[in-house]
Amino acid sequence: EAAEEELRPTFVPRGERGTIIQAREAAEAEERRLEREKQRKVERVAESRALVAEAVTREETKHYGEADAGSEADAPDDGDDLDDPLEFEAWRLRELG
């Protein structure tokens, strides 16, 4: 009779069944994995934007830095005395005429 009692099925509540627990754990693990992946994407986007901003800044500095180095030496003389009527007329003829 002891062997017959062991062979009888016993009721296990749904929440305590192994398959339900395993499925719940798998779902939680998947959710954690998705959250980590989402966080990595956000970090990668921020890193990419920082790299692009740095590259643009470096390129602008390189481009404008070279232009600024000799720009004052190459600039035309702007020290004209525009308060003098003769200088103003000379400017007007030169620029407008």
Side-chain angles (χ1 to χ4, degrees):
E1 285 184 32
E4 288 181 23
E5 288 182 23
E6 290 178 17
L7 296 177
R8 287 180 36 192
T10 57
F11 178 74
V12 179
R14 179 177 285 176
E16 295 177 10
R17 296 179 189 162
T19 55
I20 300 294
I21 294 172
Q22 289 172 350
R24 189 178 305 141
E25 289 173 353
E28 289 173 356
E30 179 68 15
E31 186 176 321
R32 286 190 302 269
R33 185 189 67 78
L34 290 174
E35 186 63 33
R36 283 192 311 266
E37 186 176 305
K38 183 179 177 182
Q39 184 64 27
R40 272 188 257 155
K41 283 183 181 181
V42 169
E43 291 171 357
R44 286 179 61 200
V45 166
E47 184 178 333
S48 296
R49 287 182 180 178
L51 287 173
V52 168
E54 180 182 331
V56 167
T57 302
R58 187 173 45 241
E59 191 67 30
E60 286 178 350
T61 302
K62 179 181 173 186
H63 177 70
Y64 292 119
E66 292 173 357
D68 288 341
S71 65
E72 288 194 30
D74 298 336
D77 182 25
D78 61 351
D80 294 339
D81 187 15
L82 297 179
D83 293 333
D84 185 19
L86 294 175
E87 287 287 328
F88 179 74
E89 285 300 319
W91 170 83
R92 191 166 148 183
L93 288 173
R94 187 174 60 239
E95 296 295 324
L96 303 176

